């Protein structure tokens, strides 16, 4: 695997080149992640309009490479605030230094953001000013403490004046709803993201009211698996700062509540250049909470020239080039259901479109985890102080599609 | 201020300026300059001219500057090896630095500089670093060994680094263990034979301990290494599985997939009755499903792997059908994979859901996807019998949409459904015929024509329909032409009275106006069949067709087992073994699943499959239509003969020739009534087989009639390459007849029938004298021995090497090709004794340049024994003389094609090496005659 990584290091520009050539291709997203060329295999990921490409010569696990590439992209994001061509160009030296630290001859070295930040300090305006005055560099010259300990994710000697631990329980509903409104497929992808600012070496345990919900989970390496197996308690020494504690999936076997319904009627008349479009959104099982931030996106068929619609609420746009209709609805008030209706102008003479567009729906419900997951309590051991604790719940639409 | 400024300067004197800046006294300026150099390097500018100046900056206590200089060195050291030496001292010094970060950095960088002179200096520091007190340095050094091995493998072995590396597996720090494993795995990859990763229960235990504590990447290395281990019994396998399962909950999908690989592999060893087996199956499903919620790239790789897992153990994901439902904004590569898996998981229980989904997909925008969805409906019909009716009605609905490509795909799959369920759904033919005009793709046209021909008696205007196709006969593709020919012949046999004209028209179109040999040949065959024996023609053309069953695209079990061992790797993405695509001569070890072994106490249930055999509920593999040679006359919608998917040697070329070549003589002959001999190879054997007139023509009275030497059977065609059929064999010659002794073993899961064999043209015209007779179907794991009589009256073509024989063996699954070398002595005929005068004259007559001399070493026999042994293989001693204590044997032999070979064999009593001189008018056989001597004398 080594030949590849070397190429990788010296070929950031190759990534740009690749990106440019691919962008000309009709649909960037449809570039398969593993491409074979006569002598090499290219494994690529597509993130924020950038392709990260790795070139390999021998048999390696592609997931290993893809995971690593995502990690690289995450790190850039973390360091530069955005992962874009401009950001990479602006920080080319740091990019080099980071890649050097992350990878040695095809073997990943340090990929934990905590450790990297100790080795190479992220660029800030203040620091660059200080550096130019004092002549010091943004490369740390001591061995990061966490690198080799059994808890590589946490550095030693963390100190805060305000000790806080926040958890965000974020659940996304992935669903496919068919024409008649019945659920074809639904599941919940949940994550618990944590922001922990605690001094010293705190040992936390987080327990749930209903841990049975979690049958399919992926853990951050800090979680003690044995404790979870035996007691269904998340016990861990947390990394410092922001991190994803667990992600979980509640599958369709357990009933997944669908918080909204859509009434739709989209029809195109045979041999005429227009059609009718009418959709209405209403709340369903919303557990008494308000559904907000609703957006409906529809990829209209190619023959659609323009749309002439009236929303009862919010605003809509139609992009005649990409044929994407976006309706920004906002909040649902049950008294007056939002609807969008009007006429569709078709290209004259073209046959009636065969396919019906799917509706893609986004929404958000604050203070609710739709699966019913609830945190019971958070305990801290190992340190004396009393931390400030908080849990926030939010439910969002993930890949939520309604077929028409 | 950002780094992008480094990219902007393009002035002429740039290098010059940089040089000045690099030599500046100010640290800050130096650093800026090095950064500029690195930036230029990135965009591909040649800044190697600054080498000495950059290296001068190396001795600094600023770590960032040092790193940048190291970066530069790695890039340019190779182009400037002499100057790179200047850096060695600093490296060596840095390796002793009190700061472990600098020690590690130095040893790491040195390993990346691929300059021989530098690697020499690397050894000592590396040895120290491998034993460094700081684990960070040790783990870096471990990787460095792998790098060094890549540069100079010998050096690493001589310096004993490999042993040190092995010791590191027992290191106290898990990260060091992981890196040592990674380094050893990489080295072992280039040395497949070496026993570097000699895993035993103790070292496995250490790895498992380290697994829990090291980083995610380390876990991947360790898991991949574990997967190569074969536990000694099912208990050990279970205990490893138990310790690996927690990895399934890891956030890193590569860790998850590597863990799945280990479990899938070791599961093979567990008895199915074990409770643990069931638990494990249940535990495997959720992580696999979770992989599907990741980014599309990860999904794709996961899906390719799930495709394998589903084929191996469908029970794991049988309840998870819904997660494979396609979302409209999935990338196309994910959509297609999901569809594939949906079909594999389709069963009676979920078919309603699946069909509803597939119907939905058939109205999507993406044409490729829609086509595949329509095809999928057909596959469901074939796979789940109960659903066939619903599938057909779904397909009819789709045909009503009149969307061109949907209709065409639907017709193609309906044809398959007809073949699977004959006489059931023919009522839909009328609907199909309505769409005749809209078909413009060859595959759909051919399918439609097949349907019309097959059901000609039920379609009133079948002749009109086919006639309409015939108008543009020459513009059609071969596939359609062939199909049309067959369909019209079928029609003629069914309704002879009204279609005579039509059939004559198509036969003349096929035989006279076409350049395509396939078409011409088939035309002639039909023509002759029809003109000689219409009853036989009816039997052949309208014969009952074998049912197509189950699925056509399962991976063959032996390959599947191998691929399961490669879960998570490129091989699993391409569904090919690494040997099929990994470049370079790096030896690739074939991996196989461990056999199922039960520890002595555990009660093995009687239905446990025999060692290594995959679970019994695996669906049968049936070949794609194109491969069914026996079906050739009736149907060939696929390419006429598709090569074996894994053919590796050049045999393929010859083999194609083999199948076409036999019919060549047909074309020339104007008289089609009497079949020329070569036309039907199977009959030919029977009629000519007794052509060995010289059968008992044994002139010499020596009583050794036992026949010539027979080599032990060798494997000619491994099961891997022949979908489970293994062929081994040898050649014998006994009392004048040559035969090929074959041993056929069925290592697949299904019964094999319909065996046939053909030889390609070869140097001596070897051909089977009788058809290959395997009387009973060959059931799985059964072996039969067959002796196939051969004659030498086949067509002749000089082969390279001379004794190369290319063979095609057919069974109900496929046609397989292999080539073998036959020993020349099977061709030595019994009347090969020349009389003395003749011998002398011939010896003189053959020019000296045709004489070849060989040494036969280490043969302990004396002249008498040699003579009698050779005689039994039809090498006859004409005269014997004793010259100066040496025995001179003058010998003659004759080959089946009449070539005489004269030999002089010099035997010294004290010396076990003989000298053999051969004279022959065709000197190219000498080498092979010599080999025959060797074989006969030494066995």
């Amino acid at each position: 695997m080594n030949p590849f990584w070397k190429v990788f290091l010296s070929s950031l520009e190759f990534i740009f080149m690749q990106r440019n050539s691919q962008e000309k291709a009709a649909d960037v997203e449809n570039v398969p992640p593993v491409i074979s060329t006569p002598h090499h295999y290219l494994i690529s990921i597509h993130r924020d309009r950038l392709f990260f490409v790795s070139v390999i010569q021998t048999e390696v696990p592609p997931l290993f490479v893809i995971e690593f590439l995502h990690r690289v992209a995450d790190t850039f994001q973390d360091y530069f605030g955005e992962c874009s061509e401009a950001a990479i160009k602006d920080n080319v030296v740091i990019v080099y230094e980071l890649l050097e630290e992350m990878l040695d001859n095809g073997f990943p070295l340090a990929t934990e953001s905590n450790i990297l930040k100790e080795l190479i300090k992220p660029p800030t305006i203040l620091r660059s000013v200080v550096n130019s005055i004092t002549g010091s560099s943004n490369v740390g010259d001591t061995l990061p403490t966490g690198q080799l300990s059994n808890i590589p994710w946490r550095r030693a000697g963390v100190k805060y004046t305000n000790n806080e631990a926040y958890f965000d329980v974020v659940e996304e509903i992935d669903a496919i709803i068919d024409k008649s409104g019945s659920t074809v497929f639904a599941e919940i992808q949940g994550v618990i993201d944590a922001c922990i600012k605690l001094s010293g070496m705190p040992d936390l345990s987080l327990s749930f009211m209903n841990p049975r919900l979690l049958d399919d989970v992926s853990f951050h390496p800090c979680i003690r698996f044995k404790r979870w197996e035996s007691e269904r308690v998340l016990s861990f020494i947390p990394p410092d700062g922001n991190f994803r504690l667990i992600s979980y999936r509640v599958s369709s076997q357990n009933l997944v509540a669908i918080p909204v319904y859509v009434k739709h009627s989209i029809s195109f008349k045979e041999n005429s250049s227009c059609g009718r479009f009418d959709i209405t959104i209403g709340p369903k099982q919303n557990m008494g909470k308000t559904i907000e931030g609703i957006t409906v996106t529809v990829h209209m068929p190619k023959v659609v020239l323009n749309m002439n619609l009236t929303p009862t609420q919010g605003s809509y746009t139609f992009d005649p080039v990409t044929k994407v209709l976006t309706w920004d609805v906002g909040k649902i008030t049950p008294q007056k259901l939002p609807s969008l209706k009007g006429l569709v102008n078709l290209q004259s003479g073209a046959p009636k479109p065969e396919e019906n567009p799917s509706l893609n729906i986004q929404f958000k419900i604050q203070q609710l985890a739709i699966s019913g997951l609830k945190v019971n309590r958070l305990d801290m051991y190992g340190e004396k102080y009393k931390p400030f604790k908080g849990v926030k719940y939010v439910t969002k639409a993930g890949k939520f599609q309604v077929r028409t | 201020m950002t780094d992008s400024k480094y990219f902007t300067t393009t002035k002429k004197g740039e290098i010059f300026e940089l040089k000045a800046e690099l030599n500046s006294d100010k640290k800050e300026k130096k650093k800026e300059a090095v950064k500029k150099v690195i930036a230029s390097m990135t965009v591909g500018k040649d800044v190697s001219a600054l080498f000495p100046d950059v290296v001068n900056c190396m001795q600094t206590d600023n770590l960032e500057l040092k790193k940048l200089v190291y970066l530069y060195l790695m890039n340019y050291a190779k182009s400037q090896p002499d100057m790179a030496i200047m850096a060695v001292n600093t490296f060596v010094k840095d390796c002793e630095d009190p700061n472990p970060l600098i020690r590690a950095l130095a040893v790491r960088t040195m390993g990346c500089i691929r300059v021989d002179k530098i690697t020499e200096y690397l050894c000592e520091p590396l040895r120290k670093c491998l034993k460094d007190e700081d684990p960070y340095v040790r783990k870096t050094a471990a990787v460095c060994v792998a790098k060094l091995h890549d540069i100079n493998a010998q050096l690493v072995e001589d310096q004993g680094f490999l042993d040190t590396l092995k010791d590191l597996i027992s290191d106290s720090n898990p990260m060091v263990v992981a890196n040592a494993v990674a380094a050893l795995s990489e080295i072992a990859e280039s040395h497949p034979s070496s026993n570097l990763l000699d895993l035993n229960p103790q070292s496995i235990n250490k790895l498992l301990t380290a697994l829990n504590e090291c980083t995610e990447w380390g876990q991947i290395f360790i898991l991949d290494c574990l997967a190569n281990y074969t536990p000694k019994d099912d208990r050990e396998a279970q205990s490893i599985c138990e310790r690996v399962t927690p990895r399934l909950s890891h956030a890193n999908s590569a860790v998850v997939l590597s863990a799945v690989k280990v479990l899938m592999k070791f599961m093979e060893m567990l008895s199915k009755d074990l409770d643990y087996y069931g638990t494990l199956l249940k535990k495997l499903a959720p992580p696999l499903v979770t992989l599907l919620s990741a980014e599309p790239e990860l999904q794709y790789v996961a899906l390719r792997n799930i495709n394998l897992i589903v084929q191996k153990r469908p029970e794991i994901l049988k309840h998870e059908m819904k997660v494979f439902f396609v979302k409209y904004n999935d990338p196309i590569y994910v959509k297609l994979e999901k569809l594939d898996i949906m079909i594999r998981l389709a069963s009676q229980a979920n078919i309603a859901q699946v069909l509803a989904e597939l119907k939905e997909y058939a109205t999507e925008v993406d044409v490729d996807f829609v086509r595949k969805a329509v095809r999928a409906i057909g596959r469901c019909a074939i796979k789940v019998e109960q659903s066939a009716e619903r599938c057909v009605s779904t397909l009819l609905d789709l045909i009503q949409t009149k969307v061109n490509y949907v209709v065409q795909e639907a017709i193609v799959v309906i044809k398959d459904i007809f073949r699977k369920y004959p006489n059931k759904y023919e009522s839909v033919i009328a609907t199909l015929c309505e769409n005749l005009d809209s078909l413009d793709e060859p595959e759909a046209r051919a399918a439609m024509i097949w349907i019309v021909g097959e059901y000609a008696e039920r379609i009133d205007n079948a002749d009109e329909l086919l006639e309409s196709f015939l108008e543009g006969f020459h513009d059609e593709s071969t596939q359609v032409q062939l199909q049309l020919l067959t369909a019209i012949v079928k029609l003629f046999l069914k309704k002879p009275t009204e279609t005579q004209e039509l059939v004559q028209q198509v036969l003349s179109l096929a035989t006279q106006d076409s350049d395509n040999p396939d078409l011409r040949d088939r035309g002639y065959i039909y023509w002759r069949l029809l003109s000689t024996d219409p009853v036989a023609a009816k039997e052949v053309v309208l014969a009952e067709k074998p049912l197509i069953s189950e699925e056509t695209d399962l991976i063959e079990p032996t390959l599947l087992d191998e691929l399961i061992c490669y879960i998570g790797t490129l091989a699993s993405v391409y569904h090919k073994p690494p040997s099929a695509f990994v470049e370079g001569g790096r030896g690739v070890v074939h991996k196989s699943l461990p056999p199922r072994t039960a520890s002595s106490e555990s009660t093995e249930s009687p239905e446990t499959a025999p060692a290594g055999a995959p679970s019994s509920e695996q669906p049968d593999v049936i070949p794609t239509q194109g491969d069914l040679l026996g079906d050739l006359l009736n149907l060939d919608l696929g390419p006429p003969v598709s090569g074996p998917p894994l053919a590796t040697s050049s045999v393929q070329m010859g083999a194609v020739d083999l199948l076409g070549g036999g019919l060549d003589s047909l074309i020339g002959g104007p008289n089609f009534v009497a079949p020329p001999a070569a036309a039907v190879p199977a009959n030919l054997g029977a009629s000519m087989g007794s052509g060995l007139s010289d059968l008992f023509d044994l002139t010499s009275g020596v009583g050794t009639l036992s026949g010539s030497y027979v080599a032990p059977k060798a494997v000619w065609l491994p099961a891997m390459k022949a979908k489970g059929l293994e062929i081994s064999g040898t050649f014998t010659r006994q009392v004048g007849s040559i035969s090929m002794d074959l041993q056929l073993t069925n290592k697949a899961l299904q019964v094999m029938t319909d065996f046939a064999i053909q030889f390609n043209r070869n140097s001596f015209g070897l051909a089977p004298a009788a058809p290959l007779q395997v009387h009973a179907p060959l059931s799985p794991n059964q072996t039969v021995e067959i002796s196939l009589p051969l004659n030498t009256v086949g067509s002749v073509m000089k082969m390279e090497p001379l004794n190369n024989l290319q063979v095609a063996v057919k069974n109900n699954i496929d046609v397989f090709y292999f080539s073998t070398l036959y020993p020349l002595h099977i061709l030595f005929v019994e009347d090969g004794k020349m009389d003395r005068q003749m011998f002398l004259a011939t010896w003189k007559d053959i020019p000296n340049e045709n004489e070849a001399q060989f040494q036969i070493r280490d043969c302990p026999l004396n002249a008498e024994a040699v003579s009698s042994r050779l005689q039994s293989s039809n090498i006859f001693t004409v005269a014997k003389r004793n010259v100066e204590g040496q025995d001179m044997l003058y010998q003659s032999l004759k080959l089946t094609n009449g070539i005489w070979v004269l030999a002089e064999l010099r035997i010294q009593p004290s010396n076990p090496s003989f000298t053999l001189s051969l004279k022959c008018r065709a000197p190219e056989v000498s080498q092979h005659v010599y080999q025959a001597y060797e074989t006969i004398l030494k066995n």
Side-chain angles (χ1 to χ4, degrees), chain A residues 68 100-104 107-112 147, chain B residues 108 136 139-140 143 175 179 215 217:
Chain A
F68 183 82
E100 265 296 280
E101 279 316 318
M102 294 179 81
L103 199 65
D104 176 18
F107 300 103
L109 283 175
T111 50
E112 283 287 336
Q147 176 83 304
Chain B
R108 190 171 123 199
Y136 181 75
K139 85 175 180 133
T140 313
V143 174
M175 276 315 300
N179 273 18
T215 67
W217 313 109

Side-chain angles (χ1 to χ4, degrees), chain A residues 2 6 13 29-36 38-39 41 44-46 56 58-64 66-68 70-71 89-94 96-97 100-101 103-105 107-109 111 135-143 147-148 176 179 184-185 187 189 216-219 221 225 249 253 299 354-355 358 360 399 401 403, chain B residues 2-4 7 28 31 35 38 42 62-64 67-68 71 74 99-101 108 114 134-136 143 147 150 173 182 186 189 216-217 220-221 224 246 249-254 257 286 289-290 293 295 297-301 319 322-323 325-329 331-333 357 360-361 363 365 403 568-571 573-574 578 581 583:
Chain A
N2 36 359
K6 263 178 227 144
E13 73 274 24
E29 267 136 42
N30 287 340
V31 177
V34 185
I35 303 171
S36 71
H39 300 287
Y41 292 88
S44 62
I45 62 162
H46 180 233
I56 54 171
T58 55
E59 176 64 274
V60 278
L63 273 189
F64 181 106
I66 294 174
E67 275 280 356
F68 183 82
H70 277 298
R71 212 56 66 85
K89 266 193 163 168
D90 285 351
N91 298 288
V92 71
V93 173
I94 293 189
Y96 254 114
E97 288 169 352
E100 265 296 280
E101 279 316 318
L103 199 65
D104 176 18
N105 201 39
F107 300 103
L109 283 175
T111 50
S136 68
S137 74
N138 57 353
V139 172
D141 55 3
T142 49
L143 193 60
Q147 176 83 304
L148 290 150
I176 302 176
K179 277 189 202 56
V184 177
F185 161 82
E187 64 175 22
Q189 302 284 353
D216 180 7
V217 279
S218 307
F219 292 138
F225 192 73
R249 188 175 64 92
Q253 271 96 341
H299 277 264
E354 288 122 20
E355 77 274 2
S358 287
N360 217 11
K399 293 172 184 156
Q401 307 185 345
R403 291 175 180 162
Chain B
T2 66
D3 293 350
S4 56
F7 287 105
E28 198 48 34
K31 202 165 84 186
K35 282 188 179 179
I38 300 282
T42 315
N62 184 322
L63 196 62
E64 185 179 21
K67 278 189 176 176
L68 292 173
L71 211 59
M74 279 190 246
N99 184 346
L101 201 59
R108 190 171 123 199
R114 303 174 69 90
D134 195 301
Y136 181 75
V143 174
K147 293 186 214 168
D150 192 39
N173 188 296
E186 186 169 315
E189 207 175 285
E216 47 200 316
W217 313 109
I220 298 170
F221 291 128
D224 285 347
S249 302
H250 202 284
N252 185 322
S253 56
L257 205 55
V289 173
T290 304
S293 56
E295 289 86 350
E297 298 93 1
L298 296 171
Q299 275 188 48
Y300 172 73
V301 177
H319 299 304
K322 284 187 175 177
V323 296
F325 284 180
V326 173
K327 307 208 170 75
Y328 85 90
N329 48 5
I332 182 74
Y333 55 84
E357 278 296 301
E360 193 70 44
Y361 303 159
T363 61
V365 194
V403 179
T569 65
L570 270 184
V573 173
Y574 284 104
F581 63 88
E583 268 200 9

Side-chain angles (χ1 to χ4, degrees), chain B residues 170 201 237 260 278 301 326 452 468 533 558 617 715 774 788 806 820 828:
Chain B
S170 329
V260 168
V301 177
V326 173
V452 174
S468 68
D533 189 354
T558 34
E617 64 265 62
V715 176
V774 182
L788 177 73
Q806 298 179 343
T820 176
F828 298 170

Side-chain angles (χ1 to χ4, degrees), chain A residues 293-306:
Chain A
I294 302 173
T295 321
V296 180
T297 359
V298 190
H299 277 264
M300 297 304 287
K302 282 199 191 70
V303 290
V304 172
L305 280 184
N306 215 333

Side-chain angles (χ1 to χ4, degrees), chain B residues 139 382 545 548 657 676 725 762 782 804 838 875 905:
Chain B
K139 85 175 180 133
I382 290 166
K545 283 157 284 296
I548 57 171
D657 174 75
L725 175 67
N762 52 69
Q782 196 194 351
N804 188 5
M838 184 72 171
I875 301 173
L905 191 62

